[in-house]
């Protein structure tokens, strides 16, 4: 492949680590736009924002959650993000509190220079999210864009290997994770965040880039850990981790076509092809009965 064609697959990724304030939609939206503008001025053309970055996260009542929600793509946040994406010629993935009729979803919206691209709804709800949101019903879509095949996850989705595998099986080049990671019990403050270990492992075993934008701060007593990260298809970080307590933007340049090309690890091994579908199902589950092994008793010897 010529250098010219290789350059067509290169993107500059930015993860915007910010501190949304619950209930301050206008302020949060303005801050997100400022960070998008800063990232774009530094050459980024794929920009990822945290989970529920427009509304804040820790709701006290369903009424508050509904009040801070909006429809996609007709709401104020999507309109503002679409306008800035068109102006700057960038793609963004942003966490948003989505209202669909009488239902709420913890969602990510994908928007490009030519307007709205698509929506992902968080599949695995965490803790009290179950009081406000419906589980995602759109699966794990992969959005084909001019800069590459983009899939999305939100926070707790990263704890399920199936989430990344389903994206990879559909040809995703990169998974953009809008997240609000919280401390994990037993986590040593001087060690790598468990979430980042999961991201790096998933990037490695699925040969996909992963860009995770976290938030910081403490909201209504709930602390968040920051440490946004961008991982190569190899699993190793190429951007970040960011700090635990500062608003900042991390960057990485990546040739997304490598996610497809380098899935062949050796002459004999390719992690998606090597799956033993004769032992377990194409997508999930076993095709064989599990046999429980029991040690033989002395009289069976």
């Amino acid at each position: 492949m010529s250098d010219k064609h290789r350059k067509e697959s290169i993107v500059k990724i930015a993860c915007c680590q910010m501190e949304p304030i619950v209930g301050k939609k206008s302020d949060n939206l303005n801050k997100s736009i400022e960070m998008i503008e800063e990232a774009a001025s530094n050459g980024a053309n794929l920009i990822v924002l945290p989970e529920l970055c427009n509304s804040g996260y820790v709701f006290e009542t369903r009424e508050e959650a509904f009040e801070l929600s909006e429809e996609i793509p007709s709401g104020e946040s999507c309109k503002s993000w679409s306008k800035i994406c068109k102006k700057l010629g960038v793609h963004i993935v942003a966490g948003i509190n989505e209202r669909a009729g009488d239902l709420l979803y913890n969602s990510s919206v994908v928007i490009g220079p030519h307007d709205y691209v698509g929506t992902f709804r968080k599949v695995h709800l965490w803790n009290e999210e179950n009081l406000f949101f419906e589980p995602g019903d759109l699966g794990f879509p992969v959005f084909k864009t001019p800069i590459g095949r983009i899939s999305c996850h939100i926070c707790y989705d990263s704890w399920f290997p199936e989430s990344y595998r389903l994206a990879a099986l559909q040809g995703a080049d990169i998974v953009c994770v809008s997240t609000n990671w919280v401390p994990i019990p037993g986590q040593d403050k001087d060690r790598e965040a468990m979430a980042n270990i999961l991201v790096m492992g998933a990037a490695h075993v699925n040969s996909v880039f992963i860009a995770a934008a976290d938030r910081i701060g403490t909201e209504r007593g709930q602390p968040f850990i920051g440490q946004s990260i961008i991982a190569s298809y190899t699993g190793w970080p190429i951007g970040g981790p960011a700090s635990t307590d500062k608003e900042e933007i991390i960057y990485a340049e990546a040739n997304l076509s490598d996610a497809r090309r380098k899935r062949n690890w050796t002459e004999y091994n390719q992690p998606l092809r090597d799956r033993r579908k004769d032992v377990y199902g194409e997508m999930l589950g076993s095709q064989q009965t599990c046999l429980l092994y029991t040690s033989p008793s002395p009289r069976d010897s």
Side-chain angles (χ1 to χ4, degrees):
M1 182 180 292
S2 70
D3 288 343
K4 176 179 181 296
H5 287 104
R6 286 181 61 82
K7 289 178 181 177
E8 290 177 354
S9 298
I10 294 176
V11 300
K12 188 168 184 179
I13 306 159
C15 286
C16 298
Q17 181 165 289
M18 59 181 282
E19 183 179 5
I21 306 299
V22 67
K24 302 289 187 179
K25 275 184 63 177
S26 293
D27 291 345
N28 296 335
L29 180 58
N30 289 337
K31 181 178 289 186
S32 74
I33 290 174
E34 289 173 3
M35 297 190 88
I36 291 169
E37 289 176 331
E38 179 180 346
S41 71
N42 286 312
N45 56 348
L46 175 57
I47 302 166
V48 188
L49 293 153
E51 178 180 6
L52 299 178
C53 69
N54 68 329
S55 64
Y57 181 79
V58 184
F59 306 124
E60 290 184 333
T61 65
R62 287 183 64 83
E63 289 76 13
E64 181 183 44
F66 270 94
E67 182 180 346
L68 295 172
S69 67
E70 57 186 80
E71 294 181 347
I72 296 175
S74 60
E76 176 189 3
S77 296
C78 286
K79 286 182 177 179
S80 297
W81 286 331
S82 294
K83 183 177 180 180
I84 197 67
C85 286
K86 183 177 182 179
K87 175 183 176 182
L88 301 176
V90 299
H91 284 77
I92 72 163
V93 176
I96 185 171
N97 179 1
E98 179 192 2
R99 181 173 68 250
D102 294 329
L103 304 178
L104 295 183
Y105 293 95
N106 184 342
S107 298
S108 287
V109 63
V110 182
I111 298 173
H114 304 294
D115 214 351
Y116 166 78
V117 176
T119 299
F120 167 73
R121 292 171 172 167
K122 187 173 185 177
V123 173
H124 305 95
L125 299 180
W126 172 258
N127 201 13
E128 292 182 355
E129 291 174 29
N130 288 279
L131 299 176
F132 309 111
F133 298 112
E134 303 299 318
D137 57 359
L138 300 177
F140 293 93
V142 174
F143 303 103
K144 296 179 180 179
T145 75
I147 61 173
R149 299 171 185 166
I150 300 171
S151 187
C152 306
H153 292 167
I154 300 176
C155 202
Y156 190 39
D157 290 324
S158 291
W159 265 253
F160 297 85
E162 298 86 354
S163 302
Y164 288 106
R165 181 50 52 91
L166 289 170
L169 286 172
Q170 295 176 84
D173 302 318
I174 185 168
V175 179
C176 296
V177 184
S178 296
T179 187
N180 286 346
W181 285 323
V182 300
I184 297 296
Q187 175 81 48
D188 187 318
K189 65 181 179 64
D190 296 322
R191 295 188 63 182
E192 188 86 23
M194 179 61 69
N196 286 4
I197 294 171
L198 292 170
V199 162
M200 290 187 286
H204 172 71
V205 301
N206 291 291
S207 291
V208 293
F209 290 90
I210 301 177
D214 197 12
R215 65 160 292 166
I216 58 163
T218 299
E219 188 173 87
R220 291 176 172 166
Q222 174 62 66
F224 301 93
I225 66 171
Q227 300 182 65
S228 301
I229 190 170
I230 304 170
S232 169
Y233 66 91
T234 63
W236 300 115
I238 53 175
S243 67
T244 60
D245 58 0
K246 295 176 183 172
E247 291 190 319
E248 60 183 295
I249 304 174
I250 61 169
Y251 299 92
E253 192 171 88
N255 185 347
L256 295 188
S257 63
D258 284 342
R260 307 179 200 181
R261 183 179 302 108
K262 297 300 185 181
R263 282 189 174 133
N264 293 300
W265 286 351
T266 74
E267 182 180 356
Y268 304 102
N269 296 108
Q270 204 264 36
L272 300 184
R273 183 196 64 207
D274 290 347
R275 293 174 304 121
R276 287 289 306 279
K277 292 181 288 185
D278 58 321
V279 176
Y280 46 81
E282 168 68 18
M283 289 299 187
L284 186 65
S286 175
Q287 291 181 333
Q288 297 182 355
T289 303
C290 266
L291 301 177
L292 179 63
Y293 175 77
T294 305
S295 297
S297 63
R299 61 186 159 192
D300 293 332
S301 302

